[in-house]
Amino acid sequence: MRRFILSATVMAGLLTTAGPSSADEAASSLRINQIQVIGTHNSYHAGLTPGVAKLLKAVNPQAFAGLEYRHAGLAMQLDHGVRQVELDIFADAQGGRFAHPFGATLNAGGAAAFDPAGVMQKPGFKVMHIQDLDYVSSCQPFVACLREIRTWSSAHPRHVPIFILVETKTEPALAAVPHMATPEPFTAAALDALDKEIRSVFEAKEIITPDQVRGRYATLPESIVHGGWPTLKAARGKVVFLLDQSNVTRTYVAGHPALEGRVLFTNAEAGQPDAAFIEQNDGSAETIAALVKQGYLVRTRADADTKEGRSGETAKRDAALQSGAQIVSTDYPVFEPSPWTGYKVSLPKDAVARCNPINVPKTCVDPEGTTPSIP
């Protein structure tokens, strides 16, 4: 008998008005660690300003080359099937720390043309890549980025869950950059404030939290090996927050054993009480596959520093897609191909999500052996 085949034709990957199809019902029996989606790296990145680009080209061409990419706004990325976005944040408890970037003085209009609404003067986390140099974001501040995602999510209530990767930035100032801002440390208070800002935008019912995944188990690894991740059906329309930097894990976990009461899943070491999400940006396909088989949610990268975009080389991309990493991040999603070579990253038939090639359930396999897409 021919096994049930999930939908192979995906337009926008969303069903907002029509009732669920039989394909959708089958897909919804999957758990969210049994799918694979495409994400964007530094999703907020709006590109270098002309003045900074000119400076970097002259003094550090390699650095300029690595930063020569940009993304459309978050809502447009979601419209085109991206299901993981990355937001780099700087703590700014008092406000104004990043309100006068050096790079702005290099542009037409000078510093006065930067931030006319005074957003950077207000307290709260700010979104950017490198303070004073690569500081232009398509959304600002952090809560505004979250509101954009939530607005899109509310308009598409049956979407595949959106993974929001948050990177806590603490890079020190560079002596070569005049008056470069020194980042605030991510203290316990700052991390508490991070949870608070997230909860100020998203309601509890809209977030998949560590408490929900851990359930009745004492630790997250115990839970995920027993199917602790929610089903796709239960997760539709929700978001999952992931904490990128492992150097803040100890502080974030302190007083919150196994992430009790926390919002974000830490980038953890396998087997630790807080471990459910693990980054393997440069991990081998074998290492990633082993983690996926243990129930972990894994994020890897298909490309970096515009190298693949310039060369067109696809080996890293292809290995990432076959590794079973549930999140494959790129600077070049299907609707934003490389301007140099046309290099891009997508799932088969440009699907929004597909059954995971490593831990795919039997109900997702068709007779031709392909890995079907998910509406």
Side-chain angles (χ1 to χ4, degrees):
M1 179 181 291
R2 183 180 178 86
R3 288 176 177 169
F4 191 80
I5 303 175
L6 299 182
S7 171
T9 304
V10 179
M11 299 301 289
L14 304 168
L15 295 171
T16 56
T17 56
S21 66
S22 57
D24 188 51
E25 289 292 346
S28 295
S29 68
L30 297 170
R31 296 192 179 274
I32 64 170
N33 66 317
Q34 295 176 316
I35 66 174
Q36 187 176 65
V37 301
I38 301 300
T40 49
H41 164 246
N42 291 349
S43 310
Y44 58 87
H45 199 253
L48 298 170
T49 62
V52 172
K54 182 178 179 180
L55 174 66
L56 285 182
K57 279 183 182 179
V59 303
N60 195 334
Q62 184 176 355
F64 167 76
L67 298 173
E68 196 180 9
Y69 66 94
R70 66 179 65 214
H71 291 301
L74 300 181
M76 183 174 289
Q77 293 181 50
L78 296 170
D79 279 340
H80 284 84
V82 168
R83 288 297 176 268
Q84 179 256 304
V85 297
E86 178 182 356
L87 302 174
D88 292 354
I89 61 169
F90 288 76
D92 189 17
Q94 302 303 315
R97 180 175 290 262
F98 307 103
H100 306 287
F102 164 73
T105 66
L106 305 176
N107 301 316
F114 174 70
D115 189 32
V119 171
M120 303 298 280
Q121 295 285 359
K122 299 175 182 178
F125 295 98
K126 305 304 189 298
V127 177
M128 69 191 93
H129 188 221
I130 304 171
Q131 70 273 32
D132 287 276
L133 289 176
D134 193 9
Y135 57 89
V136 182
S137 172
S138 64
C139 53
Q140 194 71 264
F142 179 57
V143 291
C145 301
L146 297 184
R147 290 187 188 113
E148 183 175 352
I149 296 168
R150 186 176 186 268
T151 297
W152 187 93
S153 177
S154 297
H156 304 85
R158 298 194 63 254
H159 64 75
V160 169
I162 300 167
F163 299 93
I164 303 174
L165 182 68
V166 179
E167 180 173 353
T168 50
K169 303 285 281 190
T170 56
E171 285 84 349
L174 302 173
V177 180
H179 311 295
M180 192 173 192
T182 299
E184 291 181 22
F186 273 84
T187 60
L191 292 170
D192 287 346
L194 174 57
D195 277 3
K196 185 175 180 180
E197 284 205 4
I198 292 171
R199 288 184 171 124
S200 75
V201 176
F202 287 95
E203 297 180 20
K205 65 182 180 181
E206 298 168 332
I207 308 172
I208 297 170
T209 65
D211 285 340
Q212 295 169 18
V213 172
R214 192 179 58 257
R216 61 185 176 85
Y217 293 92
T219 69
L220 283 163
E222 289 178 79
S223 173
I224 62 174
V225 79
H226 291 99
W229 291 106
T231 63
L232 177 57
K233 181 177 182 179
R236 283 190 179 275
K238 298 184 180 183
V239 295
V240 184
F241 284 91
L242 310 170
L243 188 58
D244 178 272
Q245 290 293 326
S246 58
N247 60 7
V248 300
T249 294
R250 181 176 296 182
T251 305
Y252 192 68
V253 171
H256 299 269
L259 296 175
E260 181 179 346
R262 285 303 199 182
V263 174
L264 298 102
F265 291 88
T266 49
N267 175 13
E269 294 184 18
Q272 292 299 306
D274 60 310
F277 164 65
I278 299 176
E279 280 195 352
Q280 285 285 314
N281 290 335
D282 298 305
S284 68
E286 295 76 17
T287 297
I288 293 172
L291 292 168
V292 169
K293 289 175 182 177
Q294 295 174 63
Y296 292 107
L297 185 77
V298 181
R299 182 255 198 177
T300 193
R301 290 186 66 179
D303 44 77
D305 303 321
T306 75
K307 293 177 182 178
E308 289 77 12
R310 295 174 188 275
S311 70
E313 174 58 51
T314 61
K316 184 174 181 179
R317 177 196 71 185
D318 296 344
L321 290 169
Q322 290 304 313
S323 70
Q326 292 88 347
I327 301 168
V328 179
S329 178
T330 180
D331 286 325
Y332 307 100
V334 64
F335 73 104
E336 293 179 327
S338 162
W340 303 287
T341 64
Y343 168 92
K344 60 184 178 181
V345 178
S346 65
L347 298 175
K349 301 189 179 183
D350 297 340
V352 169
R354 69 169 177 173
C355 296
N356 192 290
I358 294 299
N359 63 359
V360 55
K362 291 182 179 180
T363 53
C364 289
V365 180
D366 71 15
E368 289 69 45
T370 60
T371 307
S373 56
I374 297 172

